[in-house]
Amino acid sequence: MQRKGIISVGNWVVDSVKFIDIYPQKGNLTSISGVDEGLGGCAHNVLADLAAMKSGLSLYAGGCIGDDDHGRMCLDACRRLGIDSSNMKVLKGESTSYTDVMSETGGNASRTFFHYRGANARLTAEQVIASKSDARIFHLGYLLLLDQLDKKDPEYGVAAARALDALQKQGYETSVDVVSEEGDRYREVVLPCLKFTDYLIINEVEAESSLNISLRSEDGSIRFGDVEEAARRLIGLGVRKLVVIHFPEGGVVASADGRCCSAPSFSPAREEIVSTVGAGDAFCAGALYAIHEGYSLEDLLAFAAASARFNLFSSTSTGGAPTLEAIKKYLETR
């Protein structure tokens, strides 16, 4: 079978974004200047961004949602966007996952997340393996936020690795994304998955935690050369084809055949940024499209960075998602 398209399985979340001037110290108060609600989570965001491109690529969704209004929001979004939702599992008596996002509107535009795992916590390796589609790329995310997949496995180290191995044996090219969290679980959850991963697409914080290194100088500036070395190290730990590491200042991609390149981002002026919610997923969606279509490493980074740039002009995770034509036009005229 000639596989084509992308399936994204993992987190489905309802994001409630609260806009605040500054995040308060513990015990203090801050005012909410506005509220916006939309769907989020790795699986949704990547698919919604890909669907917005209107490229004609076949898209498939998978994951667990609750039998509630928020779960119906997820299914309605799939129908509206033309995404095959036959691998979505509705769980009776469970709530769809949600996140309260505190988005600062001041100088640093940072975000703080309060997450309820809900139905996402019940997505099992067996359900992932049983997903049916004609897609070429199987994108799984976020590791560290899918309780059943993050569990230890006696043979593979972690359940997600067992699922990824089975998916590769079914003929999929596997892609993995990770959530940014505080803690020391990266090495025990992420590293066992690498040898069953074709494409690893993560940010610099996740790369740092996975390798127990620092990629920024004391003044906070990114060290591009160190990021390139980190990407090569992750290839050395088992990733089969590509490692892509993105960060606000740009991105790096390394391939298993020894090639590596980096590029700056296309960030607008700080005052133009509405929110950074979903920017990483928009970069990931752009990278996946470029991978699927066989772009060069340099063009992959440019396309992904442009996809992320459009996202910054919206308050929700995917509200700024551009069409394929818009991305190409931007890249031609920048």
Side-chain angles (χ1 to χ4, degrees), residues 114-172:
F114 297 87
H115 180 66
Y116 175 71
R117 279 168 155 78
N120 287 331
R122 293 174 58 183
L123 177 65
T124 65
E126 289 73 23
Q127 183 184 341
V128 172
I129 293 168
S131 300
K132 302 298 182 185
S133 80
D134 294 332
R136 175 182 143 205
I137 298 175
F138 195 113
H139 184 64
L140 180 65
Y142 306 111
L143 295 186
L144 300 177
L145 203 55
L146 295 165
D147 296 43
Q148 295 298 317
L149 291 168
D150 295 337
K151 281 186 173 181
K152 291 184 178 181
D153 183 277
E155 181 180 357
Y156 288 87
V158 67
R162 177 161 55 88
L164 291 165
D165 183 29
L167 292 170
Q168 287 186 330
K169 288 173 179 175
Q170 291 177 29
Y172 288 108

Side-chain angles (χ1 to χ4, degrees), residues 53-104:
M53 292 181 192
K54 300 185 185 304
S55 68
L57 202 62
S58 298
L59 301 173
Y60 307 83
C64 291
I65 54 177
D67 185 19
D68 53 17
D69 287 343
H70 284 161
R72 286 182 279 278
M73 279 179 61
C74 297
L75 295 177
D76 287 345
C78 288
R79 282 191 288 269
R80 186 177 67 256
L81 295 170
I83 298 167
D84 184 321
S85 63
S86 57
N87 292 298
M88 296 287 282
K89 186 174 183 180
V90 180
L91 303 178
K92 300 290 184 180
E94 183 59 89
S95 297
T96 302
S97 176
Y98 65 85
T99 301
D100 287 335
V101 183
M102 304 302 163
S103 182
E104 294 182 62

